[in-house]
Amino acid sequence: MSSPVEQITVVSSDGDEFKMTVAAAMQSEQLKQMLTDDSISIVKVPVENISTEILVKVIEYCQKHADHEAATKANGGGASDSEAEELNKWDAEFMKVDVEDKLFHILMAANYLEIKGLFDLACQTVADLIKGKTPKQIRKIFNLKNDFTPEEQERLSRQHNCSFD
Amino acid sequence: MASFRPDLTSRIYPEPDVADVDLFDRLPDSLLLLVFNKIGDVKALGRCCVVSRRFHSLVPQVENVVVRVDCVISDDDSSSSAASSDKSRGPFSNLFRLVFGGIVKPLQALGQFLGPKRTSLSSGPSSSSTTLAVGSEEDGEGDQGGVTHHSPTQVLKNFNEIRFLRIELPSGELGIDDGVLLKWRADFGSTLDNCVILGASSVVYPGPTKSLCPQEGGSDAGCANNGGDDNGSIPDSFYTNGGLKLRVVWTISSLIAASARHYLLQPIISEHKTLDNLVLTDADGQGVLSMNRDQLEELRVKPLSASSASKRTLVPALNMRLWYAPQLELPDGVVLKGATLVAIRPSELSSTAKKEVSDVSWVSTAFGEPYGAAARMLVKRRTYCLEMNSF
C-alpha cells in the first residue's frame, strides 16, 4: 500500500500540468473514484477535453470549496449563515465569465469531471442568463439561429403569446 | 511548469470568422434540459419555445415549472377600479361577507382563476389586476391592441412531463388587519389531509437596543418571559374577551382559502399525470397548499366533493387542537402576542390512525423559520381541543 497521496497532478488537453490537493480533487466524483480505488496508483491524470484555461478555473473552484468544507468541519459541522453567504458571493463572482469563451466550457468540464456544485452553478448561471430575456436577446447571447419558417413563427407566436423578438 | 506554452487562442477557440458558432451546440440535449430545469419560470420557458426548433422540442420535457400568477380577475369585466380589492363577486366572497363581516376582506372571485383565456378590455398594462392569470409578454409591445392573458391551465398545456410544479398567487386571499400574523399550510389528497395555522394578534420586532436579558421587566416591547407568566395553559380571559372567537374565524377563513385553492387545481392535476409535487402558494407567504405524489394520485382516483354553492372542496368533519400563548418570544427576538397554533385533521382520520395526540411532528415542521420555532414552542403548551362539522 503506497503512502497516502497528498497531491495529484492533472494534465490539460494542452499538455500543461497542474497539481491539486487531494481534498480539492475529491470535489470531482471522477477523480474521487480514482483516488479511492487502491488498484490505481495515480501519477498524472490526463483530462483530455479540458483546456488549460478552463482547468485552471475548475481547480480554483475545487480548491475553494475544499477549503470551505475543511473550515466548516473544523468549526464543528455547521456552516454559519455568513460563511455560506460568503461562499455564495464567491461563487457568483467566480461565474462572471465570458459566455462565449468560458461558461459552456466550464459547464461541460464540470459535467465530465462530475463536480456537482460547479455543474449546478454553471447550469444555474446559464439559466439566469436566459430568464427575463426576449427570444431575440437569448439568440444573441448564445449565437442561436432562428430556424423557424415564417408560418411557424406566426403560429407559435400566437400560441405562446410572445413575439419572436 | 510546461516549458512551452502553446498559443491558446488558436488551439482552443474557433477562428474568428466562425465565432458565430451556436454555443449550445456543444451541449447534448440532456444537459440543455438540465439548464431548462433550472429556469423554472413558465414565462421564460415560453419564450425559450420560440427561440429555435431545438429549444422548442425540449421545453415540453421540462420537469420543474414555476407559474407566477400576475393578477386577479374579478367577475365584472368592466371593472375599472381594479386595484381595489373591495370588489366582491360570486358566492364565495359573499359567504365571507355574510359570515365574517369586516374581519376578512372579501376574496376575489377566485373561481375565475383557471378560467378561459380572456382579453382584457384595457389596452395598457397599467390596468392590470383585473385578471387572475399569467400575463402576456413584454407588456403588450407590438401586440395588436390589448393585453392577453392565459390561464395557468393553458400555459401549462405546453408541458408534458412536469414533476415539480409551483404556482404562486400574487397575494394571500385573506385580508387581515395590519400587524396581525396569519399563516396556514394545508396538505390535501382528495380532501383535506391536514392543516396547520399559525397566528398572532400582533408582532413586535426587537428594537435596536433590545436587551437580551429575559429577567428585565418593564419594557413593553420585549423581554417576554415565556416560562414564568403562565403554566402553559390558556387564560380564562381568552374565552371571554373574543380571543377564541377570533381564532375560530382565522381557522375557518384559512380552511376556506385552502379548500378553494384545492378545488381550482383539479384540471391541472388531472392533465399532468407526471406530477410528483404540487405547491400552490402566494407572494405574501400567507398560505401554502401542498400535494405530494400519493395525494395527487388519490385525487385523480377519487374525485373531490365540492361544497355546495361555492367553488371549493368540501371540508370534512375536523378534529382540531389549539395552543395559545399570550406572549411568545422567538429566538430571533421577535415577540408574538396572542400567539396561536391550530393543528387540524379530519375526525375520521384521527380516530383510526394509530399515532394520536402525542405525534406533533407534522405540526412543528409545517413552517419554515422563524415560524417553525414559534410552532415548536407552542406545541409544548397545553392543548385545547375543538371539533368542527364539515362545511
Side-chain angles (χ1 to χ4, degrees), chain B residues 71-370:
Chain B
C71 42
V72 179
I73 279 182
S74 72
D75 269 352
D76 182 5
D77 271 335
S78 59
S79 135
S80 50
S81 54
S84 149
S85 50
D86 282 347
K87 294 282 172 203
S88 71
R89 300 280 180 253
F92 192 5
S93 345
N94 285 336
L95 168 68
F96 262 114
R97 199 184 273 281
L98 287 171
V99 175
F100 300 115
I103 295 175
V104 175
K105 278 199 295 196
L107 286 172
Q108 300 293 336
L110 225 48
Q112 298 303 319
F113 173 34
L114 294 178
K117 177 165 147 184
R118 288 170 165 268
T119 305
S120 141
L121 301 179
S122 54
S123 54
S126 55
S127 72
S128 59
S129 72
T130 56
T131 45
L132 178 58
V134 183
S136 78
E137 277 322 308
E138 323 323 316
D139 300 320
E141 116 197 331
D143 285 359
Q144 313 72 352
V147 164
T148 315
H149 295 100
H150 294 266
S151 70
T153 324
Q154 278 186 298
V155 162
L156 292 171
K157 269 193 172 14
N158 298 324
F159 299 90
N160 307 324
E161 295 181 34
I162 305 182
R163 288 178 59 209
F164 306 101
L165 176 59
R166 180 189 165 90
I167 303 177
E168 207 174 272
L169 299 176
S171 61
E173 299 97 314
L174 306 179
I176 46 182
D177 294 333
D178 276 343
V180 171
L181 170 74
L182 184 57
K183 297 175 81 66
W184 58 263
R185 183 211 157 89
D187 279 56
F188 275 80
S190 292
T191 183
L192 182 68
D193 273 355
N194 64 68
C195 177
V196 184
I197 300 171
L198 177 69
S201 42
S202 69
V203 182
V204 183
Y205 296 95
T209 55
K210 179 182 187 317
S211 150
L212 292 174
C213 171
Q215 300 313 321
E216 271 180 82
S219 134
D220 64 346
C223 304
N225 192 347
N226 298 322
D229 62 345
D230 58 55
N231 52 3
S233 58
I234 299 176
D236 288 339
S237 57
F238 179 70
Y239 305 111
T240 52
N241 68 3
L244 177 59
K245 178 177 168 197
L246 179 62
R247 270 86 188 159
V248 170
V249 167
W250 288 351
T251 301
I252 295 181
S253 317
S254 303
L255 288 170
I256 290 184
S259 55
R261 286 190 191 182
H262 180 251
Y263 184 83
L264 300 166
L265 290 172
Q266 283 181 95
I268 292 180
I269 293 173
S270 60
E271 196 162 310
H272 296 273
K273 306 216 188 307
T274 50
L275 279 170
D276 276 346
N277 189 275
L278 171 55
V279 169
L280 176 41
T281 180
D282 59 76
D284 295 334
Q286 184 182 84
V288 176
L289 182 150
S290 169
M291 296 177 73
N292 63 25
R293 186 160 192 93
D294 292 338
Q295 290 164 328
L296 289 161
E297 196 50 39
E298 188 187 275
L299 179 58
R300 288 192 198 103
V301 165
K302 183 174 150 202
L304 59 83
S305 313
S307 164
S308 58
S310 49
K311 292 195 171 144
R312 61 177 183 82
T313 303
L314 188 68
V315 175
L318 303 168
N319 271 353
M320 310 196 305
R321 277 181 284 157
L322 184 149
W323 295 268
Y324 171 81
Q327 197 156 273
L328 195 73
E329 182 175 342
L330 304 183
D332 58 2
V334 171
V335 174
L336 302 181
K337 302 218 169 168
T340 313
L341 184 69
V342 186
I344 302 163
R345 265 194 161 145
S347 318
E348 197 183 58
L349 195 65
S350 306
S351 58
T352 52
K354 291 276 165 40
K355 34 186 181 174
E356 271 295 340
V357 187
S358 50
D359 177 16
V360 289
S361 54
W362 59 278
V363 181
S364 1
T365 52
F367 301 107
E369 296 306 326

